Amino acid sequence: MSIKLSESPTTTQPLLGATLEELTAWVVSKGQPAFRGKQLHDWIYNKGVRSLADITAFSKQWRAEIADTPIGRSTLHYNSEAPDGTVKYLLRLSDGEIVETVGIPTFKRGGKSSRKYARNPSSNSSPNSLERLTVCVSTQVGCPMACDFCATGKGEYKRNLSRSEIIDQVLTVQEDFGERVSNIVFMGMGEPLLNTKNVLDAIRALNQDVGIGQRNITVSTVGIRSRIREFAQHHLQVTLAVSLHAPNQALREKLVPTARSYPIEDLITECREYVEITGRRLSFEYILLAGVNDLPEHARELAKLIRGFQCHVNLIPYNPITEVDYKRPQRQSIETFVDILKEKNVAVSVRYSRGLEADAACGQLRVANSNN
Ligand code: SAH
């Protein structure tokens, strides 16, 4: 593992995302003993403190001195829970922008599918019914990629999220559920590889400071020329998922307009390089739109395109959004698509998104404003 990317905290950079060493250097620079760095780290990452003024381990006088240094926590603007226990949060950032994040609990067989239970396990019957808690994090406010089937791209693109704004989403879900987050998917609003530096810094902190295994982290990208290769150079153990969505350039361009400047063959070549450089298998995401890209011929063409590749295909049946009239395929055509890929020895699974009823499923996150 080699991530060494974070910067020292500065007055403009909130503390969330800083390493133990950086926090220690910071407290020492303020004339405090070095062990206060460890305390600060614990209060920020484990205790979830929102203001330095609330760190009771520090003297009142010093707290008053440092109270204005931001930690980088957002405030909760709104949340809603789907019947499957998935919770969508709208978080207000320091400049008033709103970003969406999603908490996705997975319950053990027979476990309760209610967040109330997950949040307060002692209140109800069978203990430990939560098997996994996944957070779907956003990396930008809005998204400039404008994929035709995705709600995020229908709104206005605003800006990249900072490292602290990314990490904050994970801590927020962890605190609300009262459970450790086990998995992170960078599949919320935005294109992670347009914000690589902050995404890498956030991954470092989520891994080393929050304690989430790199192998439990997935970064999803639509594919930006040369960025996948650059990402590979960091030799992370995270999973890279590439949103392919079509087996040829003509169809891909229709669904993903930014693909016009990045031929599918070049994308696949870069993906192959990624596998060579990292030794990690890569995932392809493929949204299934009835009659558009879900026909048997598409499955065959897809299998051919990714032949001889260490990869896994994740099929995502389309989640409806209001702006376009695509349809989710019938179960039968999904099964046929899967069978063809399997026959051609392609590792494949179907991912039914969670949180549909709370508009929290893949592609349903949209730009909100604080008046909503
Ligand atoms: N920008 C990144 C991550 C965001 S979206 C990317 O493109 O990969 C995460 C996944 O959800 C992507 O594969 C995206 O294409 C898919 N998605 C977007 N809209 C969807 C919809 N309406 N239904 C199902 N999946 C969708």
Side-chain angles (χ1 to χ4, degrees):
M1 182 183 70
S2 63
I3 5 181
K4 253 194 152 182
L5 289 141
S6 63
E7 293 163 348
S8 310
T10 62
T11 41
T12 50
Q13 178 99 307
L15 296 179
L16 198 56
T19 62
L20 175 57
E21 293 71 33
E22 288 165 344
L23 292 174
T24 302
W26 186 75
V27 300
V28 169
S29 77
K30 303 271 173 207
Q32 295 291 316
F35 73 88
R36 296 250 180 260
K38 178 102 184 58
Q39 289 179 322
L40 181 56
H41 186 273
D42 184 48
W43 278 81
I44 290 177
Y45 291 107
N46 295 323
K47 295 197 166 75
V49 73
R50 291 175 167 270
S51 160
L52 294 185
D54 297 334
I55 304 185
T56 49
F58 297 164
S59 73
K60 271 200 173 144
Q61 191 198 336
W62 193 46
R63 274 192 268 161
E65 274 172 41
I66 57 176
D68 288 345
T69 302
I71 291 175
R73 299 302 309 265
S74 64
T75 49
L76 182 63
H77 175 61
Y78 172 80
N79 71 1
S80 64
E81 181 173 344
D84 67 6
T86 297
V87 183
K88 179 166 87 170
Y89 304 82
L90 269 60
L91 306 178
R92 184 184 283 110
L93 308 174
S94 56
D95 63 354
E97 294 294 353
I98 302 281
V99 74
E100 300 199 3
T101 193
V102 185
I104 311 164
T106 307
F107 297 93
K108 288 181 185 154
R109 219 175 258 266
K112 284 233 166 192
S113 65
S114 147
R115 177 172 56 127
K116 283 188 205 78
Y117 175 73
R119 292 173 79 189
N120 186 7
S122 58
S123 71
N124 223 318
S125 52
S126 59
N128 304 324
S129 80
L130 196 64
E131 187 170 274
R132 273 202 312 276
L133 178 57
T134 303
V135 183
C136 176
V137 298
S138 295
T139 55
Q140 299 182 312
V141 184
C143 182
M145 303 313 285
C147 298
D148 198 36
F149 44 79
C150 180
T152 308
K154 302 293 176 197
E156 195 189 341
Y157 167 70
K158 299 280 180 61
R159 64 171 175 87
N160 276 337
L161 293 182
S162 66
R163 69 176 190 191
S164 58
E165 289 167 339
I166 297 172
I167 302 163
D168 165 74
Q169 298 172 51
V170 176
L171 296 184
T172 298
V173 175
Q174 187 155 282
E175 287 156 11
D176 186 51
F177 274 81
E179 293 278 344
R180 303 291 299 175
V181 165
S182 58
N183 298 70
I184 298 171
V185 292
F186 283 81
M187 294 187 184
M189 298 165 74
E191 169 46 47
L193 295 192
L194 289 178
N195 189 13
T196 312
K197 169 83 172 75
N198 293 340
V199 165
L200 286 167
D201 281 354
I203 290 174
R204 190 215 57 75
L206 290 167
N207 177 227
Q208 293 175 6
D209 302 308
V210 182
I212 297 163
Q214 285 194 33
R215 284 170 185 265
N216 291 347
I217 299 177
T218 299
V219 175
S220 177
T221 177
V222 74
I224 313 286
R225 189 189 288 281
S226 75
R227 299 284 169 94
I228 292 177
R229 194 178 298 119
E230 284 165 24
F231 192 73
Q233 307 298 340
H234 296 282
H235 293 280
L236 303 184
Q237 297 293 308
V238 304
T239 299
L240 185 69
V242 175
S243 293
L244 194 58
H245 304 321
N248 60 60
Q249 177 66 12
L251 186 49
R252 189 161 195 267
E253 278 183 15
K254 282 194 192 140
L255 303 175
V256 180
T258 52
R260 269 179 224 134
S261 58
Y262 190 26
I264 198 166
E265 292 75 22
D266 294 357
L267 171 62
I268 296 292
T269 302
E270 216 177 301
C271 291
R272 284 187 199 276
E273 285 176 33
Y274 176 88
V275 173
E276 273 165 32
I277 295 169
T278 61
R280 304 265 310 150
R281 178 170 91 153
L282 174 146
S283 292
F284 285 114
E285 289 160 292
Y286 191 105
I287 191 171
L288 286 172
L289 306 164
V292 176
N293 67 351
D294 70 331
L295 305 177
E297 69 218 50
H298 296 127
R300 283 191 284 272
E301 202 179 357
L302 176 63
K304 209 167 152 196
L305 181 73
I306 60 176
R307 198 163 39 198
F309 209 107
Q310 235 187 313
C311 69
H312 181 100
V313 173
N314 249 318
L315 300 172
I316 319 172
Y318 169 66
N319 299 315
I321 63 166
T322 48
E323 293 88 344
V324 285
D325 60 359
Y326 291 119
K327 298 264 175 314
R328 179 182 275 208
Q330 300 289 331
R331 193 166 279 271
Q332 184 54 50
S333 32
I334 299 177
E335 279 170 16
T336 306
F337 204 94
V338 168
D339 289 345
I340 294 172
L341 291 179
K342 280 189 176 160
E343 261 168 43
K344 310 257 179 208
N345 294 319
V346 175
V348 56
S349 52
V350 183
R351 188 174 81 207
Y352 283 95
S353 305
R354 304 272 307 276
L356 212 55
E357 295 84 350
D359 271 352
C362 288
Q364 294 186 316
L365 305 186
R366 56 181 71 243
V367 186
N369 64 52
S370 14
N371 306 321
N372 283 1

